[in-house]
Amino acid sequence: MTPPLFLLDVLPDGELLELTGDEGRHAARVRRLRVGEEVLIGDGRGALAHCRVTAVATDGLRLAVTRRWFVTAADPRLVVVQAPPKGERAELAVELMTELGVDEIVPWQAARALARWDAPRAAKALSRWRRAAREATKQSRRAWAPVVTELVDTAGVAARLAAADAAFVLHEAAEEPLAAATLPVRGEIVLVVGPEGGVAESELAAFAAARPVRLGRSVLRASTAGAAALAALSVRMARWD
């Protein structure tokens, strides 16, 4: 079984580590790890350490490092611009995309989105997305945690698409399948996932730098379309070799 992964803001040097704070308490009290068990410690930015538990306290673990390594960031990067689904489906979308390899998630306030991130709600919603991405990173044992940016408007999305090495908008009326689209060897691929109500015509016009594509003949929910697209792209880009 793969050892559990815990994340630190900074992965210290040295042969001995202490896992404290929220991660340490979770390891000791919830996971109930014991002396001799193995864990992975990472910083979410490529650095990893394989460790063995040498002591357990109520607030954390003491660890002996057995191996260190660094995982190079994926290239090209996969960026999903996601219109926030309503309710718990928003965190589900973030979890699924993280598990399936997204490198960056850009929340987008689409015109037809049912979930509205007004000023009082935006900070809390963004915090939930980032927490969901962090937990999914640990669950999937990823070396790199995805970046979750601040909320952007349609103009911000258009600028991001124009700067991308390849840009796509998922649209049920598109003729071209994502499976047949030309992909760059390096750089950044940006994919837009609209809300349940669909991408408005004015938004499609603003996203002229992106090509409309479809996943299949069925119409997926906003909370699952991004994950399905990432799975399709990962196979084509040999990320799952």
Side-chain angles (χ1 to χ4, degrees), residues 143-177:
W144 286 84
V147 174
V148 180
T149 73
E150 298 290 329
L151 181 71
V152 299
D153 58 15
T154 296
V157 175
R160 190 65 184 266
L161 294 172
D165 296 277
F168 306 102
V169 179
L170 291 183
H171 197 280
E172 67 273 13
E175 291 297 324
E176 182 182 8

Side-chain angles (χ1 to χ4, degrees), residues 5-13 17 40-50 67-73 137 141-145:
L5 172 65
F6 298 92
L7 293 176
L8 299 176
D9 292 336
V10 177
L11 185 57
D13 295 329
L17 296 178
L40 297 173
I41 307 296
D43 64 358
R45 296 180 300 280
L48 289 169
H50 181 278
R67 184 165 71 97
R68 290 178 181 267
W69 69 102
F70 184 83
V71 178
T72 303
T137 295
R141 314 308 198 260
R142 285 187 54 169
W144 286 84

